[in-house]
Amino acid sequence: MSARIALPTLILAAAAATVMPGPAKAGPWGLAPGEWYTNIEGSSFSSTTVHLADGTRAGVGLVVEQRALASATEMGWRHGITLLYALPAASITQRFATFQGTSTGFQDVQLGARCNLRNGPTALAVELDWSAPAGYNSHLISIAPALGDGLQELSAGVALGTAVGGRGFMQGSIGYGYRYLTIGKRDKGSIPPDEAHVGRFRWADHVLASADLGYWMGSSLLIGGRYRGMLSLSSGPLVPEIDQHLAGPLLLYRVDQRLDMFAGSWSTASGKNTLHFDQVYVGMAFHKTTLNRLQGFLGSNQAP
């Protein structure tokens, strides 16, 4: 694929990649009524290469830089039900040849609920999420970047987690996401020249996956690894088919029962029609919970 052909698709993919399922999801363990967890995370990356439609990594002259600040909150509502809320803000710069544009603002707001079927040393939960643009302009004009692709998303998944060896935990999830502009009829064919409502051609569905592993080196220091993946199943003609697989290490320091400090990175392990980037992030988490330290990232420092 030549740079001239690839660029429009990759600008669209760059917008979609900024709203990929984020790393903020904490896992399958739930909170009791009145308990809560909030994290605030700052991140940055600069990308000069992309993964083309065949998965090949190449430079097409497009440079994308992103600086982001995200907040995610989980609150125990009723027995077995945890409510989720997340809102990221970003400043994104795109450069191509002599053209440059920057956009700053909120991206996609996310609302969700997790229902715990098991919540002990082993956890099992189902989760339903909805996300939508938080007021940004999704229309791409020349090289000026959009803060997202302008689509809403409904997703549902199953998450499983378990304590490991008395010093750690692992957790993972698998689910389905449907992105759409209008939730009605989906069309895949060519767009008629006189088509006035192109929203029905803007949709995509994909598989969502995650995995996390954490190991306590002492009473306060956790080291771990994380993975987030999105695998395209199908899409309308106005939405590129995007595969993206991110992985990276995590270091967390539990200051006390209610405060964590953490840092880590994400790197694009593989993908199609997506940016290749190496992102670093730092943040802090505040929490009030009776979960123990082997019950995922929501736990306190109490022993199991």
Side-chain angles (χ1 to χ4, degrees), residues 6-303:
L7 185 62
T9 296
L10 290 169
I11 289 178
L12 288 170
T18 62
V19 292
M20 181 196 168
K25 290 187 178 180
W29 282 275
L31 299 174
E35 297 182 348
W36 51 269
Y37 172 94
T38 295
N39 74 28
I40 301 172
E41 177 183 306
S43 63
S44 177
F45 75 78
S46 178
S47 172
T48 60
T49 59
V50 297
H51 294 272
L52 302 177
D54 61 358
T56 303
R57 181 179 173 185
V60 295
L62 176 67
V63 178
V64 180
E65 298 175 351
Q66 176 176 293
R67 302 147 301 276
L69 181 65
S71 174
T73 297
E74 305 199 12
M75 297 183 62
W77 180 43
R78 296 182 177 179
H79 179 71
I81 303 292
T82 300
L83 302 181
L84 318 171
Y85 170 80
L87 180 61
S91 178
I92 302 173
T93 299
Q94 288 182 355
R95 294 195 297 271
F96 183 72
T98 60
F99 299 95
Q100 175 174 312
T102 298
S103 297
T104 302
F106 291 112
Q107 295 181 293
D108 284 11
V109 62
Q110 177 187 341
L111 302 173
R114 182 167 61 247
C115 177
N116 284 90
L117 306 178
R118 297 188 63 179
N119 206 43
T122 298
L124 176 64
V126 294
E127 183 172 321
L128 179 67
D129 296 289
W130 171 77
S131 66
Y136 59 81
N137 183 356
S138 63
H139 299 289
L140 300 173
I141 303 175
S142 184
I143 199 66
L147 294 169
D149 61 4
L151 303 181
Q152 300 182 55
E153 178 167 328
L154 283 172
S155 62
V158 178
L160 178 67
T162 185
V164 178
R167 296 190 65 86
F169 62 87
M170 60 182 180
Q171 60 189 34
S173 68
I174 188 75
Y176 167 82
Y178 174 53
R179 296 190 70 77
Y180 60 93
L181 184 65
T182 56
I183 200 167
K185 184 180 178 182
R186 310 191 318 173
D187 282 339
K188 289 198 67 173
S190 59
I191 303 173
D194 58 346
E195 177 61 52
H197 304 287
V198 297
R200 60 197 180 101
F201 295 93
R202 295 188 62 194
W203 61 269
D205 53 4
H206 42 252
V207 174
L208 306 173
S210 73
D212 301 293
L213 176 65
Y215 184 82
W216 289 99
M217 300 298 293
S219 60
S220 300
L221 183 63
L222 176 83
I223 61 171
R226 312 191 79 180
Y227 162 80
R228 295 292 181 272
M230 179 173 69
L231 180 65
S232 179
L233 296 175
S234 59
S235 65
L238 294 180
V239 178
E241 292 193 1
I242 299 172
D243 293 352
Q244 189 179 56
H245 302 277
L246 307 177
L250 169 73
L251 186 67
L252 181 147
Y253 181 74
R254 183 146 288 166
V255 179
D256 56 32
Q257 287 282 91
R258 296 200 174 187
L259 176 63
D260 297 340
M261 308 291 289
F262 60 88
S265 67
W266 292 101
S267 294
T268 307
S270 65
K272 297 179 180 180
N273 286 329
T274 189
L275 302 175
H276 180 95
F277 63 83
D278 299 300
Q279 179 191 66
V280 295
Y281 63 89
V282 296
M284 60 181 64
F286 308 90
H287 44 87
K288 177 185 177 182
T289 172
T290 54
L291 296 173
N292 64 57
R293 63 204 216 106
L294 301 186
Q295 292 178 295
F297 297 109
L298 298 182
S300 66
N301 61 2
Q302 68 183 36

